Amino acid sequence: MSSIRVRIAPSPTGPLHVGTARTALFNYLFAKHFGGTFVLRIEDTDLERSDKKYEKDIFDGLKWLGIEADESPERGGSHGPYRQSERIKTYKKHIQTLLTEGKAFYCFHSENELAEEKEKLLAAKRPPIHICEYRSLDPEEARILTETKSDFIIRFKTPSGRKIEFQDLIREKVSFDSELLGDFSIAKRANVPLYNFAVVVDDEEMDISHVIRGEDHISNTPKQLLLIEALGFRTPQYAHIPMILGTDRSKLSKRHNATSVNEYREMGYLPETLFNFLALLGWNSGTDKELFTKEELIKEFSLEKVQKSGAIFDIQKLDWMNGEYIRKKSLPELVELSKPFLNGNQETKFPKGNLVSNDYIKKIIALEQPRLKKLSEIGERTEYFFRAPQYEKDLLRWKNMSDEEITASLDKSINILSNLESHNVHLNARTRVKMNISKETLEETFLKEIGEGDKGRILWPLRAALTGQKASPGPFEIMEILGIKKAMKRIKTAKDKIK
Ligand code: GLU
């Protein structure tokens, strides 16, 4: 196994976000490309905001996407435990080292005092940096104070006048001035570490070689580098990946699209679609190719091809891609995937006692497969196969046909169908198999009967009567599945509407 070890470190304070999933995916692809290890670590030291239900949502979402961690709280591994809340002893040890060596100190400022200071600095148009007076308090005096005061935090004694530089794998050299960092906090108390500190300890102890994370963390990196230096740790390589933006180029939020992976799952996007789509949010292969299998992505992924500028989340592209993946499914697979969406939709719940055969469902799904974009659409789109459609009579009108013309048109369809039906009854009696009339036969007969002229005058009212929808597959395909009897019943209902 290669020495490449990367990680995703989500906080379980909300459902799995598409941005986190994208970061996880880039880490995963990078690790798999080099035969390395992908670690999932849970940053749950913020006990108030962390919730087990979100942790589960993160685990489930990543698994559903096919981004399997090699080491995680669930799978375990050689570098555990993988939840920060289970690593408190380790943090305490390193905090103690920093305190003992005079690289960190106790700060006794109240939140009010800090807020006031910040306000003053901002009013004076100065950066809100806290250079703490307690940094020079005698350590023994400070220790005694901690015994009487309960409200204190631990800060890092940021060295002044230092230039902190690192070579980002995506953005080249990044440099920061230590003056702008202030004495940043590293722990609320000895047993409540804060992000910048805990992440550094975890990355060291878990032998993380590359930190691949969102660009929003770039300003944390100099703090982490100072801590790494102070603790004598190894420095990982950094790659800050671009933010995901909405089509208006502002940071992706609920205002644009759904943001949690589970919402996409519920909308009927396939995991392979999302996997492929997320991979292209900030990365491209250097060609026009957009559809990639997981194996292809693992083979082709490289940090060099990750872009610096923001990645636009284009829902139309996602829809297109999902349609492509739906069409790649075998029919039995698609039937299974669609069933929850058929059953889950109140409108299409099969009437009790009315057994809808698997074969019937299969035919319906086959009809929709070429045009479906999301599995969730299937409920509404196929509703008319399960219950008589509801619609306004005007839907039956083709161009400016009069009511009498519509009635005549529907009569003609009934005529054609009843002729076909009596022929079919004879045929079925002879062969002793009950077969629906095929769409080919239906089409041939109708076209012959209609002859020259505007086909819409017959086919539109017919199709509208069958489906009650503005758009649907053609009437012949529908009648083949529905059967002539039901079709005729619906046309008669349509005629009643006109009366
Ligand atoms: N908990 C942080 C986040 O989810 C981790 C950041 C990091 O990777 O260092 O954004």
Side-chain angles (χ1 to χ4, degrees):
M1 188 146 276
S2 91
S3 56
I4 288 196
R5 290 178 57 86
V6 292
R7 85 302 191 273
I8 180 79
S11 307
T13 52
L16 177 62
H17 191 280
V18 283
T20 310
R22 195 274 311 250
T23 305
L25 179 59
F26 279 24
N27 275 282
Y28 173 86
L29 293 173
F30 181 76
K32 297 296 134 185
H33 181 86
F34 289 108
T37 305
F38 171 57
V39 178
L40 166 58
R41 179 171 83 213
I42 292 291
E43 300 212 332
D44 61 349
T45 42
D46 185 343
L47 292 176
E48 268 155 43
R49 293 177 59 226
S50 297
D51 195 321
K52 282 281 177 204
K53 77 167 184 251
Y54 294 132
E55 186 181 287
K56 184 170 173 345
D57 188 83
I58 293 168
F59 293 161
D60 292 350
L62 290 174
K63 254 183 256 161
W64 176 73
L65 281 167
I67 307 175
E68 294 274 2
D70 301 300
E71 298 172 22
S72 71
E74 287 190 306
R75 282 191 77 165
S78 49
H79 294 64
Y82 296 94
R83 274 187 199 92
Q84 286 189 334
S85 57
E86 294 162 15
R87 305 174 57 77
I88 299 300
K89 246 166 71 193
T90 313
Y91 305 129
K92 265 181 143 167
K93 180 180 86 189
H94 293 294
I95 289 173
Q96 202 45 59
T97 308
L98 290 177
L99 285 169
T100 312
E101 293 178 0
K103 294 172 179 167
F105 62 91
Y106 293 105
C107 159
F108 300 96
H109 283 296
S110 68
E111 273 178 37
N112 277 348
E113 284 171 332
L114 293 169
E116 239 168 66
E117 180 191 73
K118 189 171 172 182
E119 219 170 278
K120 270 192 202 146
L121 286 167
L122 288 174
K125 299 219 164 10
R126 286 169 56 200
I129 299 160
H130 179 67
I131 313 275
C132 191
E133 335 167 317
Y134 289 105
R135 67 185 347 249
S136 42
L137 185 69
D138 174 65
E140 186 47 26
E141 233 174 281
R143 199 193 54 74
I144 294 166
L145 264 181
T146 61
E147 283 166 12
T148 52
K149 289 197 168 207
S150 61
D151 207 15
F152 59 85
I153 61 171
I154 299 164
R155 291 184 184 275
F156 183 67
K157 203 182 274 181
T158 301
S160 64
R162 281 276 308 276
K163 200 181 180 110
I164 306 146
E165 288 185 331
F166 67 96
Q167 198 75 34
D168 192 272
L169 293 175
I170 292 162
R171 314 154 191 267
E172 293 143 16
K173 195 177 258 175
V174 184
S175 91
F176 285 92
D177 195 334
S178 72
E179 297 299 327
L180 294 175
L181 302 178
D183 294 329
F184 58 89
S185 46
I186 57 173
K188 272 198 197 157
R189 287 180 296 280
N191 56 357
V192 188
L194 294 171
Y195 162 69
N196 279 306
F197 171 76
V199 81
V200 156
V201 172
D202 292 342
D203 286 344
E204 166 72 13
E205 305 226 330
M206 295 187 185
D207 286 332
I208 296 303
S209 61
H210 294 73
V211 170
I212 304 169
R213 62 184 172 196
E215 190 189 13
D216 48 338
H217 282 293
I218 227 168
S219 59
N220 286 321
T221 310
K223 297 178 186 169
Q224 294 172 15
L225 285 167
L226 286 176
L227 286 168
I228 287 171
E229 185 187 85
L231 289 158
F233 290 168
R234 297 157 296 171
T235 311
Q237 302 231 55
Y238 291 95
H240 288 93
I241 63 181
M243 299 316 285
I244 303 180
L245 311 177
T247 38
D248 61 358
R249 304 203 68 86
S250 66
K251 196 175 161 195
L252 183 73
S253 73
K254 285 199 198 314
R255 211 162 31 82
H256 302 105
N257 296 118
T259 50
S260 84
V261 168
N262 204 29
E263 283 171 284
Y264 285 92
R265 182 180 184 168
E266 282 172 0
M267 281 189 272
Y269 291 96
L270 298 174
E272 47 272 63
T273 307
L274 218 50
F275 192 98
N276 189 155
F277 179 78
L278 292 176
L280 298 184
L281 282 183
W283 173 87
N284 71 77
S285 66
T287 69
D288 289 342
K289 184 172 158 146
E290 302 217 87
L291 296 176
F292 292 89
T293 62
K294 186 175 193 173
E295 289 67 35
E296 285 171 335
L297 285 169
I298 289 173
K299 192 159 159 247
E300 297 204 21
F301 185 83
S302 75
L303 289 175
E304 287 83 54
K305 290 213 175 90
V306 174
Q307 71 198 40
K308 290 190 195 66
S309 57
I312 311 271
F313 192 106
D314 178 355
I315 194 88
Q316 277 169 356
K317 181 167 164 182
L318 180 66
D319 284 350
W320 163 79
M321 200 178 262
N322 204 43
E324 294 297 312
Y325 279 101
I326 285 178
R327 283 179 268 301
K328 281 180 202 277
K329 290 279 172 208
S330 71
L331 189 53
E333 259 183 302
L334 191 60
V335 168
E336 283 315 307
L337 287 165
S338 303
K339 272 184 183 166
F341 293 94
L342 290 172
N343 285 326
N345 182 337
Q346 282 297 328
E347 297 299 305
T348 62
K349 223 173 225 167
F350 313 135
K352 220 176 169 188
N354 178 6
L355 287 181
V356 178
S357 72
N358 213 38
D359 197 45
Y360 188 67
I361 296 178
K362 210 160 140 184
K363 283 182 191 151
I364 294 166
I365 305 287
L367 189 61
E368 288 295 335
Q369 188 169 21
R371 51 205 119 214
L372 209 56
K373 287 201 188 108
K374 286 180 265 198
L375 298 178
S376 56
E377 289 171 352
I378 197 110
E380 205 181 319
R381 293 180 69 128
T382 62
E383 199 185 324
Y384 60 86
F385 280 110
F386 302 99
R387 64 210 294 267
Q390 307 290 320
Y391 57 94
E392 295 298 317
K393 94 170 192 197
D394 263 342
L395 186 72
L396 297 162
R397 196 179 314 281
W398 173 250
K399 294 185 178 163
N400 47 8
M401 279 169 93
S402 65
D403 284 4
E404 292 71 33
E405 284 172 316
I406 298 172
T407 309
S409 159
L410 293 169
D411 272 335
K412 181 156 178 124
S413 289
I414 293 185
N415 229 320
I416 302 173
L417 290 174
S418 51
N419 282 341
L420 270 172
E421 174 68 354
S422 52
H423 180 72
N424 196 44
V425 169
H426 283 303
L427 201 71
N428 283 345
R430 214 167 353 117
T431 54
R432 286 166 196 267
V433 261
K434 194 175 161 352
M435 293 253 296
N436 279 0
I437 301 177
S438 74
K439 61 172 186 277
E440 289 80 11
T441 307
L442 284 159
E443 181 165 9
E444 202 181 301
T445 317
F446 267 85
L447 293 186
K448 207 161 77 201
E449 289 287 332
I450 296 169
E452 292 302 306
D454 186 358
K455 294 183 184 58
R457 292 177 73 85
I458 298 292
L459 299 186
W460 178 273
L462 169 63
R463 201 196 52 74
L466 295 170
T467 63
Q469 299 202 357
K470 276 205 189 80
S472 73
F476 310 123
E477 293 153 294
I478 294 169
M479 287 191 290
E480 180 189 80
I481 299 173
L482 214 51
I484 300 293
K485 274 213 175 71
K486 254 193 209 146
M488 290 213 285
K489 201 168 155 210
R490 288 187 185 187
I491 301 168
K492 283 180 187 145
T493 311
K495 271 180 66 188
D496 290 344
K497 273 189 200 273
I498 300 279
K499 264 190 221 152

